[in-house]
Every structure is written in C-alpha cells, then in structure tokens.
C-alpha cells in the first residue's frame, strides 16, 4: 500500500547526509531496522523507488530518514538532498530482515549505519543503556561519520571508528577485514549485525563465517 508523506524539515548531518522529517500517516507502523521503498512525488520520479531505512523511534510522532546523497549516481539521492519543506514523497509498507536480536556486534559501512540507528535508539529508550552492544563503523574519512556525537554519547555502547582513506588519532586506519576482526577482541560466538555497501557486506560476511559465525547469528538483509 502506498502512502504520501509531506516533508516537515530537512537538516544537514554531514557534508552529504541529511535528516528528513515527514508527517506520519495514521496507523503506519514499523519495527526498528526496517526500511521502505521511497520515491519522490514528482513527474518523472514516481517510478524511481529506492530503499531507505526509518531512523526515528517506532512510536515517534513523525517519520524520519537519514539519507546520504550520491550526486554521481542516478540522481534520486541528489534530488532528495535538495528537497524543500512541503514537498511530498511516496512510501510503501515497511519491510526488512534486520531487527534487534539482542546484544551483539554491529558492523556498518557508511550509510549502512541507518538501520542500526533506529535499533540503537529504541534499545536505549527502552533499557536506558546499550551494555553489550558494540558498533564498528567504517567510513572513508572523518568528515563522513554520520551522527558521531550522538553515537559517542549513547550510554554503554562500545564504539570503534574505522577510516580507510585518512589517518586520525584514536581511529583505526584500514579496512574491516579478517585481520581487523582477529585483532578486535570480538566474541565470534555472539550475534553480528551487518550493513554496508554490497562488496563490504560480502567480504565481511565471508570473514565472519570463516570464524565460526553461523547464519542464524548473522543479521543482515537477504541477498
């Protein structure tokens, strides 16, 4: 079922990421970690659906998305980044396999953080702490880190920042690969959550499985 949303506010988060807040349709429910198919309500764009994750709390008054713009791609995210209040988008019913299955290690690459934002925010709101939750967040450069201050303030969350293209004190320089996983002091008997660019997802998922992480303990979107 399709729903038309009106944009209430757009707020820059980083140089290429915006937080968009929309009116919430009556009766529209989702679970932390879920996404929806999202399209601009404009001529020539309504058939250009893209998946985006809800980053607001499930009980919040409004629906919120945190969306990275890629000007070099197909133009949809670039257009989203230039939206003005009062414009409309069309979304479908929520979907997705990523959900909160309890304490574990979250591995996110870039905009792959977004399904985890709602999970971490909801868990913090309901339990007051994120003890037992660890986030390994990989980006190219420090300027790309989404909502760094909020993540650093989350009580109990163990945060590891990884940069591939820049050396910054206090952050790991390199890739989230098998060598990194071996040195990170991880419990490979625990639950792992994974979301990022497809090549990263494939490589990290393979590395985790080699280290004994079974499919039922690896939470990610299915192929």
């Amino acid at each position: 079922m399709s729903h038309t949303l009106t944009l209430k506010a757009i707020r820059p988060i980083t140089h290429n990421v915006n937080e968009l807040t929309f009116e919430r349709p009556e009766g529209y429910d989702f679970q932390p970690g879920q996404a929806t198919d999202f399209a601009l309500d404009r001529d020539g764009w309504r058939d250009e659906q893209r998946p985006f994750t809800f980053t607001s709390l499930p009980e919040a008054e409004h629906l919120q998305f945190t969306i990275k713009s890629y000007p070099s791609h197909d133009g949809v995210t670039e257009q989203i980044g230039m939206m003005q209040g009062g414009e409309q988008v069309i979304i479908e019913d929520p979907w997705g396999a990523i959900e909160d299955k309890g304490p574990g290690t979250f591995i996110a690459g870039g905009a792959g953080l977004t399904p985890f934002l709602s999970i971490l925010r909801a868990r913090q709101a309901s339990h007051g702490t994120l003890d037992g939750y660890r986030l390994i967040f990989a980006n190219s450069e420090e300027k790309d880190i989404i909502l760094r201050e909020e993540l650093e303030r989350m009580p109990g969350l163990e945060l590891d920042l990884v940069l591939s293209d820049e050396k910054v004190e206090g952050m790991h320089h390199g890739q989230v690969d098998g060598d990194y996983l071996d040195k990170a002091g991880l419990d490979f008997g625990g639950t792992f959550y994974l979301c990022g660019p497809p090549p990263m997802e494939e490589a990290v998922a393979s590395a985790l499985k080699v280290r004994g992480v079974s499919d039922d303990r690896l939470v990610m979107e299915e192929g």
Side-chain angles (χ1 to χ4, degrees), residues 9-163:
I10 181 167
R11 179 172 72 98
I13 298 296
T14 71
H15 65 101
N16 61 357
V17 177
N18 291 288
E19 178 186 87
L20 295 92
T21 303
F22 294 88
E23 291 182 344
R24 183 171 186 157
E26 184 176 352
Y28 191 95
D29 295 318
F30 69 92
Q31 297 299 314
Q34 285 190 313
T36 185
D37 293 315
F38 178 116
L40 297 165
D41 189 12
R42 300 178 188 166
D43 291 343
W45 293 94
R46 293 184 183 91
D47 293 332
E48 297 294 331
Q49 290 186 332
R50 299 293 183 272
F52 294 115
T53 310
F54 302 100
T55 51
S56 47
L57 294 173
E59 65 273 13
E61 179 181 354
H62 298 98
L63 293 179
Q64 189 180 90
F65 299 87
T66 305
I67 297 177
K68 184 173 183 178
S69 293
Y70 298 90
S72 62
H73 286 201
D74 53 24
V76 174
T77 60
E78 182 180 24
Q79 292 295 316
I80 290 171
M82 296 187 292
M83 289 183 69
Q84 303 290 323
E87 291 191 73
Q88 294 184 320
V89 301
I90 302 167
I91 67 170
E92 305 299 326
D93 290 335
W95 55 266
I98 295 177
E99 60 180 324
D100 187 358
K101 293 191 175 182
T105 301
F106 291 70
I107 302 176
L113 174 72
T114 56
F116 303 152
L117 276 174
S118 186
I119 290 175
L120 295 173
R121 286 168 169 173
R123 171 64 63 154
Q124 179 183 340
S126 62
H127 290 71
T129 181
L130 291 168
D131 287 343
Y133 286 73
R134 180 174 181 177
L135 171 62
I136 298 172
F137 188 18
N139 288 279
S140 296
E141 299 180 0
E142 186 175 17
K143 68 179 182 180
D144 299 319
I145 301 173
I146 300 170
L147 295 171
R148 176 182 175 181
E149 292 183 359
E150 178 182 353
L151 296 172
E152 290 176 335
R153 290 196 307 268
M154 286 183 168
L157 178 66
E158 186 177 355
L159 178 63
D160 301 77
L161 298 174
V162 179
L163 301 179

Side-chain angles (χ1 to χ4, degrees), residues 196-216:
M200 174 192 176
E201 281 193 5
E202 182 177 349
V204 175
S206 296
L208 289 171
K209 290 176 182 179
V210 166
R211 286 156 180 79
V213 179
S214 55
D215 287 338
D216 63 324

